[in-house]
Amino acid sequence: MAYLTLPASAGIIGIGTSLPRYKLEQDEVFQRIEASCPQDSDIMRWARRIFRQCGVDTRYTCEPDFLEPAGDCRYLPGQEEREVPSTSERMRIYERESVPLAAQAAREALEDAGLHSSSITHLITVSCTGQFLPGLDSILIKDLGLSPRINRIPLTFQGCHAGLKAVQLAKSLVESADSHHVLVVCVELCTIHFQPPASREALFGASFFGDGASACIISKVSPGQKHVFQLGDGHAVLVPDSDAEMIWRVGDHGFDLYLSPAIPKLLKSFVGEEVGHLIGQESLPFLWAIHPGGRGIVDAVQDIFGLGDDQVSYSRSILKEFGNLSSATILFVLKRMRENLIDQGISYAEGISLAFGPGLTAELLCFSYVQSISNDPMADKEKAAYV
């Protein structure tokens, strides 16, 4: 395809993910929400519907307080006079819990890629759910044994699309020099920002966000490498007149999130045109790695392009099992996709990845899965068993 330049020089050669230890069942989270807002039956009716329809069964959290009985959780207390954790306390939890999650995902990605940490030339860290200094990047250098001279690039407070943004940035770095090996690490602790619901809109975030970390290694692809995602053309777009649809601000009791229920409808108004701008007159690819920002977002993309259920199954399964992990989610989707392609014995398939965040911002990136890199990428493409 024209939009996937061959031979591709940059690819994802290793992926890692990690989750905190505490698992949340969706009905249990709703019980805590209900106990925190006993006087507002209208909001609870709305909450019940949102929790049932959002496409999430389970999520993970770094905070054991969420396992307390309904009404006793400090983040969602049953009595109005009980004080919820302050932003400073939540940031201390973030600093304590984010580092081991990020390091675990990074180690898995390095092992998957077959690279030693000393080979990494650039470290891109991504997070929008917490901040501290010295930052995550400086601590990972020590924990992972990275070079102290490594080029550090933190992407902070950008939202759900930042994971795919980091992949696009890493691709550019790798294409600028054959010696570059980039480690991307995304970690998000969304649940530490849960608050008693004050409005219907505030319930959207509480219904599907979870905690987790992901990482990948991006370098120049070379013969002999297996199960690689070669990276093609991509771009980002800022949707006009949509800045009020997704808002993420620092409040006194955590970060205050607003998600408009109109976001899926807005996606339908521009995503088709943007994908057309990226791929031109070429036919749509088979593989779709969609950031599952919510069930409605996956539904919208599936409807726009007439995708089959199997094409969006990766995004739906990640949402169902782990929720929306903000920037970390897209690498969970790609990892699940790669596992499935390996199981099927697919030798080659082309795809596109989409992620959305505040702005509204959309990130789009073409890629191809290659079972085994040879000396002749064009020959690989011609002889491959397309899905």
Side-chain angles (χ1 to χ4, degrees), residues 1 283-288 310-311 314 337 340-342 344-351 367 369 381 384-387:
M1 292 186 177
S283 58
L284 292 174
F286 180 80
L287 299 176
W288 288 75
D310 56 337
Q311 292 177 283
Y314 312 107
M337 177 182 288
N340 184 258
L341 293 168
I342 292 172
Q344 293 184 63
I346 301 300
S347 60
Y348 182 92
E350 293 178 336
F367 65 88
Y369 167 77
K381 182 176 179 180
Y386 282 73
V387 293

Side-chain angles (χ1 to χ4, degrees), residues 20 52 272 349:
R52 287 175 177 173

Side-chain angles (χ1 to χ4, degrees), residues 338-376:
R338 188 183 64 173
E339 290 168 351
N340 184 258
L341 293 168
I342 292 172
D343 288 343
Q344 293 184 63
I346 301 300
S347 60
Y348 182 92
E350 293 178 336
I352 187 170
S353 185
L354 307 173
F356 311 99
L360 290 172
T361 301
E363 296 281 343
L364 304 89
L365 178 64
C366 294
F367 65 88
S368 65
Y369 167 77
V370 184
Q371 185 183 62
S372 181
I373 302 293
S374 75
N375 290 306
D376 187 353

